[in-house]
Amino acid sequence: MLKRKAYEKLLEWKQQQAGKTAVLIEGARRVGKSTLAKEFGLNEYKSCLVIDFFQAPDEVKQYFRDYSNDFDALFLYLSAYYSVELFDRESLVVFDEVQMFPFARGLVKYLVADGRYDYVETGSLLSIKQNIQDIVVPSEEQTLELAPFDFEEFLWAMGEKPLAQLIGSSFDSLKPLPDNLHRKASALFREYMLVGGMPEPVRIYTEQRKFQPVEQAKRQIIELYRNDVARFARGYEFKVVSVLDGIPGQLSKHEKKFTLSSISKNARMRTYEEAFFWLSDARIANICYASTDPSVGLGLSVEQTSLKCYMADTGLLATLALSTGATDEEGVYRAVLRGDVGLNEGMLVENVVAQCLVANGRKLFFYSQSGKKENQQRMEIDFLIVRPYVNAAGKPRISPIEVKSPRQYGTVSLDRLKETFDKKIGTQYVLHPKQMKIEGDRVYLPLYMAGCL
């Protein structure tokens, strides 16, 4: 298995909790939840029992129903069925794809109290009504979010761990990398942007260094997502698919707010809210909401009807945008990698920055003013985050982030934001395809440092 940061978090959970809680690994389908849980169980325990509720027969599910008050019998039957010997306090039980059998998830509270084994659950679409009906979500369950590979994990997979460490230390010290290493990091970041962070495409790319087989793997994932929509988004699947298919077109616009009129002139946010929630809950999309007041409490000024919708994995966005079924897709991707085609790279670049911010545990917010009201200036700030501000004794301030894909650009919106909100604004960041530079409280970072914010 390729190295994941989440593995270390599981180790911390095992050592600190010592069976007092179960851990639920949440994430998109094909993001590596099952692989992570199984590898952790096999490496860190004397034995590991994996129950995949996507494939488990009715007989196994009936064991849970029949022996929900007799765990001795339950584990006797499960151990025999799966031919796995279990040891008190030395075995891990994995409930894989637990959303397919909510009853087992409801038992976690009592299994943890029983105390004989450790428990890891994996699942997606865990907030959808049909996946929590008739159960009480256990308070003994702590959540671990598994996102696609971030850029640092991608570098590890590519055998570039020293470069990953150097990027981090360069950001911390605000000293640019030497030009040759800057060019190398920039090239690898472009590869990451096209390959994405889903484990199977990453594995294929690290082994073959070819885009064509990677593209085939990504298309299979997208097809799986479409099948999930048909299966689970009952009653509003058309709206979910419409939003999903509309993401590349929306992000290719100069103003990237999602405009529902592009789907239907009668479409309204109140009737599409469930579709955006579904894509977010499935971890297929990252939703970025408008904040009407760029202050530390960003969540207090959210405008729910104004949002941007990014793909959770930029590699999948590249497939949605570039895949034409042509025989020379390898050549197309190589041309994009070199910058030889007239592609609106801003779509991919802004999406990958959103992906990096989410991987760091950040919620996504942006700021926008149309300039149509009296005495109002037009502003469009890609992202707003909260960071300590050195010029305010380390107190938190809003750090606006502007994402630039061309080498020549302006910063009018940043200038206006600082002028308008002044003391609320801390360090300003411009992520661009050039070297690092510092101008007062404005920091220009190369795009490959997006994951450091």
Side-chain angles (χ1 to χ4, degrees), residues 75-88:
F75 287 112
L76 184 65
Y77 284 112
L78 290 175
S79 177
Y81 185 88
Y82 287 99
S83 301
V84 175
E85 187 176 0
L86 297 172
F87 306 89
D88 284 7

Side-chain angles (χ1 to χ4, degrees), residues 124-340:
S124 54
L125 292 167
L126 288 158
S127 299
I128 299 299
K129 291 177 183 177
Q130 66 256 33
N131 292 336
I132 55 174
Q133 62 187 7
D134 303 326
I135 71 164
V136 176
V137 176
S139 58
E140 293 77 10
E141 183 184 87
Q142 64 183 72
T143 301
L144 173 61
E145 181 76 26
L146 187 63
F149 278 62
D150 64 20
F151 182 51
E152 185 176 21
E153 290 173 315
F154 179 78
L155 289 177
W156 294 347
M158 296 286 283
E160 297 287 353
K161 189 173 183 178
L163 180 60
Q165 293 172 333
L166 195 58
I167 290 171
S169 61
S170 173
F171 173 82
D172 291 338
S173 64
L174 290 181
K175 294 181 179 178
L177 293 179
D179 286 345
N180 61 332
L181 292 177
H182 165 73
R183 288 191 294 270
K184 180 178 181 179
S186 297
L188 283 163
F189 190 74
R190 288 181 70 81
E191 291 176 44
Y192 171 66
M193 190 169 67
L194 295 175
V195 173
M198 300 302 281
E200 183 63 9
V202 171
R203 183 194 65 78
I204 292 171
Y205 191 72
T206 59
E207 293 175 358
Q208 301 185 34
R209 296 294 201 275
K210 292 181 180 179
F211 288 105
Q212 183 67 40
V214 168
E215 182 65 10
Q216 292 173 357
K218 290 192 294 175
R219 281 202 295 263
Q220 289 175 357
I221 293 171
I222 291 173
E223 185 61 27
L224 175 70
Y225 288 173
R226 292 185 185 280
N227 291 338
D228 282 348
V229 171
R231 184 172 182 177
F232 296 110
R234 297 167 189 162
Y236 52 97
E237 55 265 42
F238 171 78
K239 292 177 182 178
V240 175
V241 171
S242 296
V243 171
L244 178 62
D245 288 341
I247 291 175
Q250 298 287 332
L251 293 180
S252 65
K253 300 183 304 183
H254 176 70
E255 187 175 305
K256 296 178 173 59
K257 284 189 292 187
F258 203 101
T259 307
L260 286 172
S261 59
S262 63
I263 296 175
S264 168
K265 63 180 181 180
N266 296 319
R268 296 293 182 269
M269 185 57 69
R270 64 179 179 273
T271 60
Y272 273 79
E273 283 178 341
E274 203 167 18
F276 286 106
F277 169 78
W278 195 96
L279 288 168
S280 176
D281 190 64
R283 305 305 192 268
I284 294 172
N286 292 323
I287 309 300
C288 181
Y289 288 102
S291 178
T292 57
D293 178 20
S295 57
V296 172
L298 287 168
L300 300 176
S301 60
V302 166
E303 188 179 340
Q304 294 282 354
T305 58
S306 181
L307 58 82
K308 295 189 286 187
C309 186
Y310 299 101
M311 288 293 291
D313 182 71
T314 309
L316 298 183
L317 174 64
T319 294
L320 286 174
L322 298 174
S323 183
T324 61
T327 56
D328 189 29
E329 283 183 326
E330 181 74 27
V332 171
Y333 271 85
R334 294 287 173 188
V336 173
L337 192 64
R338 296 190 302 268
D340 291 346

